């Protein structure tokens, strides 16, 4: 039963991760007010929390419950999946810092750098590929 719980938690975390990232992307504009950036910072905090849920549930599945750790550890598809997740996490740092820095700005509007939008889009692309890799891995593709 633990296996089912942690798989479900992992799945729900990924859905929340993607939903918050899509919300960030849809709410971004070339110029934003500090209030709008404060809203983005709150959404981004939920994004970070959901990433922690995905990570914790994933590590529990890898080392604690379910299939033996060797099933994951010896699979190159799994390593690619983990790499893309870590890359997405690293790419999220700059937008997070930008939102937090400007959420209490005294300026009437703040210009959003295009790099923030491109980083969010790149994260979306990476997170779109991760479930495909999970399906491939579940089918045994990538086992050495």
């Amino acid at each position: 039963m633990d296996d089912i719980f942690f798989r479900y938690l992992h799945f729900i975390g990924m859905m929340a991760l993607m939903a918050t990232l899509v919300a960030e992307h849809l709410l971004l504009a070339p110029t934003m007010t500090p209030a709008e950036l404060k809203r983005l910072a709150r959404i981004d905090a939920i994004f970070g929390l959901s990433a922690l849920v995905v990570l914790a549930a994933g590590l529990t599945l890898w080392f604690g419950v379910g299939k033996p750790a060797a099933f994951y550890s010896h699979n190159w598809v799994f390593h690619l999946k983990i790499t893309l997740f870590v890359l997405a996490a690293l790419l999220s740092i700059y937008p997070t810092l930008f939102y937090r820095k400007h959420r209490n700005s005294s300026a009437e509007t703040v210009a959003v750098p295009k790099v923030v939008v491109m980083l969010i889009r790149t994260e979306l692309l990476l997170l779109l590929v991760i479930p495909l890799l999970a399906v491939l891995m579940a089918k045994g593709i990538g086992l050495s």
Side-chain angles (χ1 to χ4, degrees):
M1 195 66 174
D2 288 343
D3 181 45
I4 294 170
F5 172 76
F6 283 104
R7 287 187 191 287
Y8 187 67
L9 189 61
H10 193 67
F11 182 71
I12 293 297
M14 276 301 290
M15 289 190 340
L17 195 68
M18 189 59 105
T20 54
L21 198 56
V22 167
E24 282 185 40
H25 184 263
L26 292 175
L27 291 173
L28 275 173
T31 58
M32 300 182 76
T33 65
E36 292 169 329
L37 288 168
K38 188 176 271 190
R39 182 180 316 127
L40 274 178
R42 283 193 299 265
I43 292 169
D44 193 63
I46 297 168
F47 172 82
L49 181 63
S50 61
L52 289 175
V53 167
V54 169
L55 181 64
L59 288 172
T60 302
L61 288 168
W62 186 2
F63 295 113
V65 299
K67 296 177 181 167
F71 175 82
Y72 301 103
S73 300
H74 298 177
N75 190 321
W76 68 267
V77 175
F78 176 72
H79 288 281
L80 180 58
K81 181 181 156 193
I82 296 297
T83 300
L84 294 183
F85 182 78
V86 169
L87 183 58
L90 292 173
L91 292 176
S92 74
I93 293 171
Y94 183 76
T96 297
L97 294 176
F98 178 78
Y99 303 149
R100 289 179 182 225
K101 178 179 179 184
H102 296 288
R103 68 183 172 184
N104 295 321
S105 174
S106 60
E108 192 172 309
T109 60
V110 176
V112 177
K114 290 184 183 201
V115 68
V116 170
V117 176
M118 291 311 299
L119 288 171
I120 298 292
R121 289 178 180 167
T122 304
E123 288 176 66
L124 283 167
L125 179 62
L126 293 175
L127 292 179
L128 185 65
V129 174
I130 289 173
L132 172 63
L133 295 174
V135 170
L136 293 172
M137 188 183 69
K139 287 291 188 181
I141 296 172
L143 284 173
S144 52

